[in-house]
Amino acid sequence: MIAELSSPFLLYGAVGCLLIGMGLYSLALHTHVYRRILAWNALGGGVFLFLGAIAKRNAYGGSSDPLPQALVITGIVVSVSATALALAIARRLQTEERGNGA
Amino acid sequence: MTDLSLGLAALLMTSLLLGGVRVACGPTRADRMLAAQFLTTSSVAILLLLAEALDRPALRNLSLAFVALATLTTIAFTQAYSEGKRADE
Amino acid sequence: MRDRIEIYDVLLVVTLIGAAWRALFGKDAFSATVFFIVYGLLMAMAWVQLDAIDVALAEACVGAGLTGALLIGAVRQFERAPGARALRRTMGLRASIGALSLLALAGLTASLFEIENRRSPVPPLVERSLGDSGSAHPVTAMLLNFRAFDTWLEIGVLLIASLAAISIHRLYDPSPIEGRASTAPTRPRLQIQSQTQPWIMARTLLPLLILVGGAMLWFGSHAPGGAFQSGALIGAAGILLQIAGGRSALRLSSLRTRSLLSLGFSSFWLMAAGALLAGGRILEYPPASAGAAILALEAAATLSIALTLNVMYACSRPWGPEP
């Protein structure tokens, strides 16, 4: 019974882990800043999914645990602002490099 | 009814998978964007089916958000790749 | 909602991993970006399966919608840059990176089995105190009451990030008008071309986005929804206006922009100080007026989040906003 109940936890938790692993590999593999921003975001998605699986595991009275959900919601908003900031910095960086090359 | 809805949801998820292949094939940028938009449409259909099958009305609000924001990506794309062309040259 | 894995979950997970694979390891930067948008979309579908509709909403609005628009707007300037396709070539380096990533993957997966049978004491506590929280929806109660301190600081992070983006943008163009002329074409101050597709779409979508955003704020008191989702939708309306109306839609230096940016943070500050002065603990609302306090904080946070997202979008575009 327990094993059956927890199977969404294991499936989505494992996917979260896999995404973290893939994200780490991609982050180190790429040398261009834009691809690294993408990798960092995908990695974050894996972490969020891991937390979501924990929320599902802690389900009580038919609904998932609100604490990890709240964490993930704030995390998503922080990560979009971090992404936008990273893009602004990357744009600046590229303009500098272009300026020096010309 | 519930089984039928869930079965249809699985079928639509298969179409999503195939749509992903179309995104990979391209070949032009517009093809890829259009395929991605098709995926959003399928997702909305899945959400509506799930809302019915699992009696979760909140999923209808979710599908509304999907629709409202899918267009934003398209508009950003058309702008970046047509009108904005002058901007970085 | 369901506690068993079905064929649907397996299909969803396979598609999600496939999209992530192409987003991370695809050769072409543009198609990687499109796959990243698809990845966000599928992530939102996964949140539905995990019975976290609030998160699915946030992911759909922010992850797939706004991040998608940001990246699609930005990829153009990066995709032709030298090095956009470059990978670390040395096989030895690649192998060691791969081994380390696999190690992390194995460790995390092992921890999954380790924590499988643990349970958190939080959900029963939440259920017991939900009546006093001022919100009938557990996630809203968590964000705006039980853990309001976290949300306050998170809004602080947004404020800092938007100020940082403005500063970078400012440094980029020290003398606003002459400086920009060399890097980007001069655009008319208000460039709303009434016949362009973005403008036609914006005119249709703006009311819808604002309406759905406002509704989302109200839903938060009893159902999935709330300040973050609402802020993202209203922010999307503003971004749409920026795309359709050129860069003049936003003035970064105006007092109005700045006070609106900090409105969310300062509302939390006032609420916290008020609670302390009234003899309570920080951010402790009296149960009778908790509902009103939550709604007020959420409304302020919504406006700030919406404007923050607009500022961030404006500052990461190829051409910047009005200084």
Side-chain angles (χ1 to χ4, degrees):
Chain A
M1 187 63 190
I2 294 290
E4 200 186 24
L5 275 177
S6 55
S7 45
F9 163 69
L10 281 183
L11 176 71
Y12 287 98
V15 173
C17 296
L18 185 62
L19 292 175
I20 295 172
M22 280 161 62
L24 280 173
Y25 184 59
S26 175
L27 189 65
L29 191 68
H30 283 106
T31 50
H32 193 264
V33 63
Y34 179 77
R35 300 303 299 268
R36 286 184 165 179
I37 293 172
L38 279 190
W40 186 252
N41 268 291
L43 198 161
V47 176
F48 295 151
L49 206 59
F50 193 94
L51 280 170
I54 292 176
K56 179 75 180 170
R57 184 201 68 180
N58 293 341
Y60 180 82
S63 55
S64 286
D65 185 354
L67 181 57
Q69 288 192 55
L71 278 174
V72 172
I73 291 173
T74 52
I76 287 174
V77 180
V78 166
S79 86
V80 73
S81 65
T83 306
L85 184 57
L87 285 173
I89 295 173
R91 174 175 78 103
R92 174 77 200 280
L93 197 68
Q94 196 176 27
T95 321
E96 295 282 314
E97 280 168 358
R98 221 180 251 171
N100 290 342
Chain B
M1 184 56 203
T2 304
D3 280 346
L4 179 69
S5 299
L6 292 178
L8 282 173
L11 191 70
L12 281 168
M13 193 39 92
T14 318
S15 88
L16 227 83
L17 186 64
L18 296 175
V21 176
R22 192 70 181 84
V23 179
C25 291
T28 68
R29 294 196 178 97
D31 286 326
R32 295 184 206 274
M33 273 314 286
L34 207 60
Q37 294 301 312
F38 160 74
L39 297 189
T40 310
T41 311
S42 300
S43 311
V44 167
I46 291 175
L47 287 176
L48 293 175
L49 279 169
L50 290 180
E52 203 58 38
L54 309 169
D55 195 26
R56 281 279 174 143
L59 290 181
R60 294 198 191 100
N61 295 340
L62 177 59
S63 60
L64 197 59
F66 265 58
V67 173
L69 280 158
T71 35
L72 190 67
T73 333
T74 321
I75 297 177
F77 168 71
T78 43
Q79 196 230 19
Y81 283 90
S82 54
E83 187 235 359
K85 204 166 267 175
R86 300 170 297 142
D88 63 348
E89 255 106 47
Chain C
M1 56 191 80
R2 284 169 304 151
D3 292 322
R4 279 182 300 113
I5 295 176
E6 311 211 7
I7 183 80
Y8 172 80
D9 295 83
V10 177
L11 284 167
L12 172 61
V13 160
V14 168
T15 321
L16 179 68
I17 293 172
W21 187 269
R22 292 299 302 240
L24 290 172
F25 304 113
K27 282 209 169 58
D28 166 44
F30 181 84
S31 67
T33 308
V34 177
F35 270 108
F36 187 80
I37 294 167
V38 173
Y39 168 77
L41 180 84
L42 291 163
M43 198 58 115
M45 303 298 282
W47 287 110
V48 173
Q49 292 311 105
L50 290 169
D51 209 2
I53 299 176
D54 296 81
V55 187
L57 268 171
E59 180 75 45
C61 296
V62 176
L66 288 175
T67 312
L70 264 173
L71 293 173
I72 281 286
V75 66
R76 189 190 165 82
Q77 52 189 318
F78 295 115
E79 63 185 342
R80 266 184 268 118
R85 289 175 177 229
L87 300 172
R88 295 196 193 282
R89 294 282 177 209
T90 340
M91 281 323 269
L93 197 57
R94 277 195 186 197
S96 45
I97 294 167
L100 283 175
S101 305
L102 272 179
L103 200 66
L105 172 59
L108 282 167
T109 317
S111 76
L112 211 57
F113 289 98
E114 178 77 23
I115 62 172
E116 184 184 356
N117 291 320
R118 292 195 202 158
R119 290 295 176 270
S120 159
V122 172
L125 286 175
V126 171
E127 194 167 270
R128 214 175 313 144
S129 2
L130 197 58
D132 298 329
S133 73
S135 171
H137 184 54
V139 179
T140 308
M142 185 61 79
L143 278 169
L144 271 306
N145 194 336
F146 304 140
R147 302 290 298 236
F149 199 70
D150 293 1
T151 311
W152 181 17
L153 296 184
E154 191 257 343
I155 304 238
V157 170
L158 284 185
L159 181 63
I160 292 169
S162 61
L163 293 180
I166 292 177
S167 314
I168 288 168
H169 179 70
R170 284 253 164 130
L171 287 170
Y172 180 51
D173 283 327
S175 55
I177 294 146
E178 296 83 1
R180 181 170 298 109
S182 58
T183 53
T186 42
R187 296 170 132 237
R189 282 206 46 180
L190 190 68
Q191 191 195 37
I192 293 180
Q193 296 165 327
S194 53
Q195 294 309 311
T196 56
Q197 285 134 326
W199 178 245
I200 293 165
M201 281 179 95
R203 219 171 45 176
T204 323
L205 270 173
L206 262 175
L208 179 76
L209 280 169
I210 291 172
L211 192 69
V212 177
M216 218 50 97
L217 179 62
W218 178 248
F219 287 150
S221 61
H222 57 274
F228 293 104
Q229 294 88 344
S230 171
L233 281 160
I234 294 176
I239 290 174
L240 200 59
L241 203 60
Q242 281 189 49
I243 295 176
R247 60 198 167 86
S248 57
L250 200 64
R251 288 185 66 88
L252 294 182
S253 63
S254 76
L255 187 65
R256 198 171 44 179
T257 306
R258 282 163 185 237
S259 42
L260 207 54
L261 270 181
S262 55
L263 178 68
F265 189 79
S266 37
S267 303
F268 270 91
W269 193 89
L270 283 177
M271 200 65 90
L276 279 180
L277 286 179
R281 276 176 291 176
I282 202 161
L283 283 170
E284 188 180 64
Y285 327 125
S289 55
I294 287 181
L295 195 64
L297 281 181
E298 278 204 300
T302 299
L303 289 176
S304 284
I305 292 168
L307 191 66
T308 303
L309 292 171
N310 268 279
V311 167
M312 304 296 274
Y313 180 79
C315 289
S316 63
R317 285 169 88 193
W319 51 91
E322 202 87 356

